[in-house]
């Protein structure tokens, strides 16, 4: 295939583009990412990502942070008198969860965190692949 373009002086230049049939196939890293993402969302037990009973709590705290524009300093959902001090060390993830939940509900939470987990495995695979050549060992370690 030949592609004709104009250079900066306005003259036409021709560039030959060669397509390699293998360049259209996904790489092993892409397959690892896709496999883990599909396992977490469709093929496996999708309730495993919601197995943490604090998911609703994190969403509600995130909504509270978005509504008040401040991070709570005590547990507002417990009825202790006097209120116990509390450190919201997960405040950023709670805000992200509240925003994702606002847009797409619990399904969005599952898909979002499955994407984050699969991306983490993909980055681990890519990092190992850059330093080592034994692809079977790398796939075994990452899977």
């Amino acid at each position: 295939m030949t592609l004709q373009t104009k250079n900066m002086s306005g003259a036409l230049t021709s560039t030959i583009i060669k397509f390699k049939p293998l360049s259209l196939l996904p790489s092993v890293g892409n397959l690892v990412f896709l496999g883990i993402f599909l396992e977490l969302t469709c093929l496996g037990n999708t309730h495993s990502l919601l197995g943490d009973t604090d998911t609703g709590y994190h969403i509600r705290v995130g909504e509270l942070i978005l509504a008040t524009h401040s991070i709570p300093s005590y547990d507002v959902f417990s009825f202790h008198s006097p209120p116990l001090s509390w450190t919201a060390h997960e405040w950023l993830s709670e805000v992200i969860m509240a925003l994702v939940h606002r847009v797409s509900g619990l399904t969005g939470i599952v898909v979002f965190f499955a994407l984050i987990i699969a991306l983490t495995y993909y980055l681990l695979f890519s990092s190992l692949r850059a330093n080592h050549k034994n692809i079977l060992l790398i796939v075994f370690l990452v899977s």
Side-chain angles (χ1 to χ4, degrees):
M1 179 176 166
T2 304
L3 176 68
Q4 291 189 342
T5 58
K6 289 185 179 182
N7 61 15
M8 294 181 76
S9 63
L12 282 176
T13 58
S14 296
T15 306
I16 297 175
I17 301 174
K18 295 180 182 179
F19 289 105
K20 296 178 184 178
L22 292 179
S23 66
L24 299 177
L25 295 176
S27 68
V28 175
N30 293 343
L31 292 175
V32 168
F33 172 81
L34 186 62
I36 291 171
F37 181 74
L38 290 175
E39 175 66 26
L40 290 172
T41 55
C42 304
L43 304 174
N45 183 5
T46 56
H47 299 291
S48 63
L49 287 177
L50 294 175
D52 180 12
T53 57
D54 288 343
T55 302
Y57 180 83
H58 292 303
I59 293 169
R60 295 298 171 242
V61 170
E63 289 173 347
L64 178 70
I65 292 171
L66 289 172
T68 62
H69 300 289
S70 65
I71 299 171
S73 59
Y74 65 94
D75 188 358
V76 296
F77 299 111
S78 296
F79 298 101
H80 293 286
S81 183
L84 301 174
S85 62
W86 179 54
T87 303
H89 59 275
E90 299 168 333
W91 68 270
L92 183 59
S93 65
E94 291 169 341
V95 168
I96 292 169
M97 288 175 79
L99 292 171
V100 170
H101 184 264
R102 185 182 292 175
V103 171
S104 56
L106 285 177
T107 302
I109 297 286
V110 169
V111 170
F112 177 76
F113 281 102
L115 183 68
I116 295 296
I117 292 168
L119 183 62
T120 302
Y121 277 97
Y122 176 77
L123 292 174
L124 174 64
F125 175 84
S126 298
S127 174
L128 290 173
R129 183 74 174 124
N131 296 322
H132 303 287
K133 299 301 176 207
N134 189 346
I135 195 160
L136 293 177
L137 178 62
I138 295 168
V139 170
F140 175 73
L141 290 174
V142 172
S143 302

